[in-house]
Amino acid sequence: GLNLYGAGQTDRVKESRREAVDNYRENLAAIDGLVEKAGIKSVYRLTPTPYEDTAVLETRAARRSGRNAALGKMAQIVRARAAEKGGTLVDLYTTLNSYNREKQAEDPSFTIVGGDRVHPAEPGHLLMAYTFLKTQGVDALVSDVGLDYGRKEIEKSLKATVSDVKWDRESVE
């Protein structure tokens, strides 16, 4: 296929880039139509994750200048759909890009995206999950349990049920 990013800014490449953005916008509109038709009321709109085009990596994956900017355009489209149609916006693009820039200022080889420059690695997945949960307003505390082994007592149990505790000389089950 036609390489839309990197060297070679021909008119055909520029037109193909515009078509890709238009297709993305049209596909989101089609998805919205299906969601509305199904009567779904709660919608989460996620922006795409970034393409890594700034880290200095020793990898076979070549930097493709312009890909991250293109994904930024897609993120703008998602933000506009959220403003127009409603729903909860989860802005992964901004969060991951901001974190990347902050860390790359200290270490130019840092990336929250994997070495292939496309797929977030485990730290990126963690930041994505954090962003999604934070956007939902989920309480940061999952649970908090405290056991006093010496007195064989449950000291506290927040957001958890503790039962059938077996205390023995070396462990607690």
Side-chain angles (χ1 to χ4, degrees):
L2 183 63
N3 182 3
L4 300 183
Y5 302 97
Q9 303 296 312
T10 65
D11 288 342
R12 182 173 175 225
V13 167
K14 291 176 184 176
E15 179 58 29
S16 293
R17 284 183 181 181
R18 281 190 291 277
E19 287 174 7
V21 172
D22 290 344
N23 287 340
Y24 187 81
R25 184 180 291 108
E26 290 167 13
N27 287 335
L28 286 181
I31 290 169
D32 278 339
L34 293 172
V35 166
E36 289 170 11
K37 185 176 180 180
I40 297 170
K41 301 294 182 207
S42 180
V43 177
Y44 285 85
R45 299 179 187 279
L46 282 67
T47 60
T49 57
Y51 173 81
E52 177 55 78
D53 62 2
T54 55
V56 179
L57 301 176
E58 291 182 23
T59 178
R60 294 186 330 171
R63 276 193 252 191
R64 300 286 186 199
S65 178
R67 283 186 178 177
N68 195 43
L71 288 167
K73 289 178 184 175
M74 308 305 182
Q76 288 175 337
I77 292 168
V78 174
R79 288 185 206 104
R81 298 281 318 160
E84 177 187 341
K85 294 292 197 176
T88 302
L89 176 66
V90 182
D91 197 347
L92 300 174
Y93 181 83
T94 298
T95 300
L96 271 68
N97 268 312
S98 296
Y99 189 76
N100 237 10
R101 279 192 300 275
E102 177 185 324
K103 293 299 182 183
Q104 285 175 2
E106 302 165 12
D107 176 5
S109 67
F110 176 87
T111 180
I112 198 72
V113 180
D116 68 355
R117 299 186 181 274
V118 176
H119 301 96
E122 288 84 1
H125 292 158
L126 180 62
L127 185 53
M128 290 167 64
Y130 169 81
T131 303
F132 191 82
L133 293 170
K134 184 175 179 184
T135 300
Q136 288 180 308
V138 173
D139 189 348
L141 178 66
V142 175
S143 65
D144 188 6
V145 175
L147 303 175
D148 185 327
Y149 183 77
R151 293 187 306 191
K152 297 189 177 12
E153 291 180 356
I154 300 167
E155 288 184 329
K156 64 181 170 180
S157 177
L158 300 173
K159 294 186 168 186
T161 302
V162 181
S163 61
D164 300 322
V165 179
K166 295 181 180 113
W167 310 86
D168 70 27
R169 291 175 20 156
E170 297 179 12
S171 66
V172 177
E173 289 182 32

